[in-house]
Amino acid sequence: MGAGPSRRVRMEREQDGGVQISENVVHSMAGTRLDDEPGDSRAGEDPILDVPQSQLEAIIEQAQHQGFQQGVEFERREKEKELKQLDVHWQEKLDGVNEQKENELVKEFDDLVSTLQHQGQSLHVKEQPCQLMQAAVKACYEQNPHTALRCRDQVAAFVACAERARVDYLASMQ
């Protein structure tokens, strides 16, 4: 466990209950650094120390705790990276779905506008049927304000024209 290089540690139980362990290993487990003196004849060697069992257990427990904490921190960083990747993945997927839906809505809107424009063109005001006959009836009534029966021929022609227009309109709706 831990980020440091692995070492092989040999421990031997002493008669007094202690364990022999190198000073470098003790300092490594404790998180401190043993600096070799430049003139030290033991430079590069792991000097052996007599360490009581209880102190060794405390150092090992501390090293295990430190390794556990490093492992937890590593797992947390890995999970955060994984969550960020998932977030990016799903955001891209959501953006794609939104873009597709937007394109569909735009197309539907354009189709509706086109349909309404086409229908609007067919709804333009056409020349009213029987317009001339209607004008003839009005003119006759104005000329004969007290004798409306004199306009019966113009009225009959207008009524016949209006009936034909109504029949034609109903037929076009089917």
Side-chain angles (χ1 to χ4, degrees):
M1 246 194 246
S6 61
R7 289 185 177 202
R8 186 177 193 142
V9 177
R10 192 183 84 174
M11 293 185 267
E12 296 178 16
R13 190 174 287 276
E14 294 288 319
Q15 293 171 355
D16 63 354
V19 176
Q20 279 192 346
I21 188 167
S22 71
E23 190 174 349
N24 284 340
V25 172
V26 171
H27 284 284
S28 176
M29 291 174 133
T32 61
R33 184 174 170 175
L34 175 68
D35 292 327
D36 293 329
E37 296 293 323
D40 193 355
S41 62
R42 297 179 302 166
E45 294 179 16
D46 281 345
I48 305 297
L49 296 177
D50 284 332
V51 178
Q53 177 99 20
S54 60
Q55 186 180 3
L56 179 62
E57 288 174 0
I59 291 172
I60 290 173
E61 186 177 324
Q62 180 184 3
Q64 284 177 335
H65 179 70
Q66 184 180 5
F68 177 76
Q69 294 293 25
Q70 289 173 348
V72 166
E73 183 64 24
F74 176 77
E75 283 294 318
R76 186 187 61 75
R77 284 191 308 269
E78 289 298 311
K79 290 296 179 186
E80 283 178 354
K81 279 197 296 191
E82 185 179 335
L83 284 173
K84 285 179 184 177
Q85 289 172 344
L86 285 172
D87 187 42
V88 167
H89 168 75
W90 286 110
Q91 187 62 45
E92 288 173 353
K93 208 166 198 169
L94 185 60
D95 289 345
V97 168
N98 285 342
E99 185 177 343
Q100 181 182 4
K101 190 66 174 174
E102 182 180 348
N103 290 339
E104 289 172 6
L105 289 173
V106 166
K107 183 182 182 317
E108 186 178 331
F109 178 77
D110 289 343
D111 290 346
L112 284 173
V113 167
S114 176
T115 301
L116 289 174
Q117 285 175 342
H118 178 68
Q119 287 177 352
Q121 290 172 355
S122 66
L123 292 177
H124 285 294
V125 177
K126 298 177 183 174
E127 183 180 324
Q128 286 185 333
C130 312
Q131 203 171 20
L132 292 174
M133 292 173 200
Q134 181 182 15
V137 169
K138 281 184 181 180
C140 183
Y141 283 148
E142 286 173 2
Q143 290 173 357
N144 303 302
H146 300 292
T147 53
L149 289 177
R150 289 188 182 169
C151 301
R152 71 175 179 252
D153 292 337
Q154 289 87 350
V155 170
F158 176 71
V159 169
C161 181
E163 184 61 28
R164 274 193 315 273
R166 185 180 68 81
V167 169
D168 291 344
Y169 176 73
L170 290 175
S172 72
M173 296 301 284
Q174 294 177 358

